[in-house]
Amino acid sequence: MNALLALARLIDALTERVGRLIIWLVLIATLISAGNALIRYSLGESSNAWLEIQWYLFGAMFLLAAGYTLKHNGHVRIDIFYNRLGPRGQAWIDLIGGLLFLLPMAVLLAWLAWPMFHEAWVTHEISPDAGGLVRWPVKLLLPLGFGLLALQGVAEVIKRIGVLSGHLALPREAPEEDV
C-alpha cells in the first residue's frame, strides 16, 4: 500500500504542477482577448487566428485543469447523501464513483479522442476559416486532458483505499457554517 500511496503523491505533484501552469493561460487568454478587441475597435482590424487561439486556450484551461479540479475537490456535486455522510462514507462514495464512473469515462474519452487527434496530425488539418490555425494542437487537448483526469482519478482511488484500509488518515471534517 505504501508504494501505491507514493504513486498517488507523484500523481498529485504532477497534477499540481500542471494546474499551476494552466492558471497562467487565464491571463494569456485575457490579454489576447483584450488586445484583439482593442485592435478590432480602434483600427478596424481582426483575425480569425486571434479568435481561434482564444478558443484553444479556453479548451486547454477547461480540459487540462480537470484533474487539478478533481484533486482539489472542486467539481460540482449534486448528491443529497454525500454531505450527510462521515469521512469513511464519503470515501466509499468517492471510491465507487471513481471506479465505476470517473475512470471508465475518462479512459474511454481519451481513447476515443486519440484517432481524431491523430488524423488531424497526419492530414495537417487547418481551420476552414480564413487565417485559421492548425487543428491538431486543440485536438490533442482532448486525449491529454482526459488522460490527466484519469491519472488523477487513479490517485484519488488509491487515496480512498488508503483511507478505508487505515493507511491514510481520515480528512478532518470542516466546521459547519452558520447559515
Side-chain angles (χ1 to χ4, degrees):
M1 189 68 205
N2 288 337
L4 288 175
L5 289 171
L7 174 63
R9 283 190 298 276
L10 284 172
I11 294 170
D12 280 348
L14 171 67
T15 298
E16 194 67 30
R17 284 190 185 104
V18 169
R20 299 274 177 197
L21 286 172
I22 296 307
I23 288 170
W24 287 100
L25 294 183
V26 176
L27 176 62
I28 294 168
T30 302
L31 292 174
I32 289 172
S33 179
N36 191 30
L38 284 172
I39 291 170
R40 183 174 57 242
Y41 292 115
S42 65
L43 302 176
E45 296 291 324
S46 187
S47 165
N48 285 329
W50 287 109
L51 294 173
E52 287 184 14
I53 195 67
Q54 291 172 58
W55 301 337
Y56 286 19
L57 290 171
F58 176 75
M61 286 182 269
F62 178 79
L63 289 164
L64 300 180
Y68 180 82
T69 305
L70 177 64
K71 178 182 180 288
H72 290 280
N73 202 23
H75 287 283
V76 174
R77 291 184 191 266
I78 303 175
D79 189 333
I80 59 173
F81 302 110
Y82 188 85
N83 289 332
R84 295 179 186 182
L85 298 174
R88 288 187 63 79
Q90 290 178 350
W92 273 110
I93 296 286
D94 290 341
L95 175 63
I96 292 167
L99 290 173
L100 294 180
F101 300 107
L102 173 68
L103 287 174
M105 179 275 311
V107 169
L108 179 66
L109 288 173
W111 183 70
L112 290 173
W114 185 259
M116 186 173 55
F117 154 70
H118 186 262
E119 182 179 346
W121 172 268
V122 170
T123 63
H124 306 289
E125 183 181 352
I126 296 175
S127 169
D129 298 323
L133 302 175
V134 294
R135 287 281 172 96
W136 70 262
V138 75
K139 290 188 176 186
L140 177 60
L141 293 173
L142 288 163
L144 187 60
F146 284 112
L148 289 169
L149 178 61
L151 199 58
Q152 187 59 40
V154 167
E156 297 303 316
V157 164
I158 291 169
K159 290 186 282 188
R160 295 322 180 272
I161 292 171
V163 165
L164 293 169
S165 66
H167 289 89
L168 197 60
L170 289 171
R172 290 185 144 174
E173 289 189 45
E176 293 188 25
E177 297 178 19
D178 294 330
V179 179

